[in-house]
Amino acid sequence: MTGRTIVLLAFLWLASLGGTGYLAGWYFGQGEYPEGTIVSTLRSGVLDEDREILVHLPAGYADEPGRRYPVIYVLDGSSQDVHTASTSALMARLGLMPPLIVVGIPNVSGEGRQRDYTPPTMA
């Protein structure tokens, strides 16, 4: 492993700790999502329910309204989106990847999670 790889891994680990702090605060009702996060609801006709989505915008998003960004969709959004967004933002600042939009899709319930993640052909 090169020195640069070790430094990158250390930065990613630290970024994940920062995301975990946001997650813990949100989960226990003691905090808010990081700046640049849009919490919205979409209606699913297929599932016949409203689904929350969490959109994390990259730094400088408002400065370039016509710019296109890659998008990562994160399942288990309410527990995985914040650290994914903070890690990708760090990697973009380091020039290791382009800035991107992270969309978190939270689970609705235990039964809903099984429905959403189990292929229809499985019993």
Side-chain angles (χ1 to χ4, degrees):
M1 227 184 265
T2 67
R4 182 178 174 168
T5 303
I6 292 171
V7 169
L8 175 61
L9 291 174
F11 274 119
L12 293 176
W13 177 72
L14 289 172
S16 72
L17 292 178
T20 302
Y22 278 117
L23 174 62
W26 173 82
Y27 183 77
F28 293 109
Q30 300 169 353
E32 299 177 3
Y33 284 107
E35 183 178 340
T37 303
I38 298 169
V39 179
S40 187
T41 303
L42 291 176
R43 178 76 187 160
S44 170
V46 172
L47 298 174
D48 192 29
E49 64 188 20
D50 292 329
R51 296 297 297 259
E52 182 179 55
I53 60 167
L54 311 164
V55 181
H56 301 269
L57 301 174
Y61 179 83
D63 299 335
E64 299 180 72
R67 182 173 175 182
R68 296 174 59 103
Y69 293 90
V71 179
I72 293 180
Y73 295 91
V74 180
L75 302 178
D76 285 336
S78 57
S79 66
Q80 303 299 322
D81 62 311
V82 174
H83 71 82
T84 302
S86 63
T87 300
S88 65
L90 173 64
M91 291 179 72
R93 280 193 303 274
L94 294 173
L96 299 171
M97 63 183 287
L100 51 88
I101 297 170
V102 175
V103 178
I105 305 169
N107 293 320
V108 290
S109 68
E111 185 177 308
R113 185 176 197 279
Q114 182 176 1
R115 174 203 65 205
D116 291 348
Y117 294 160
T118 304
T121 57
M122 295 181 69

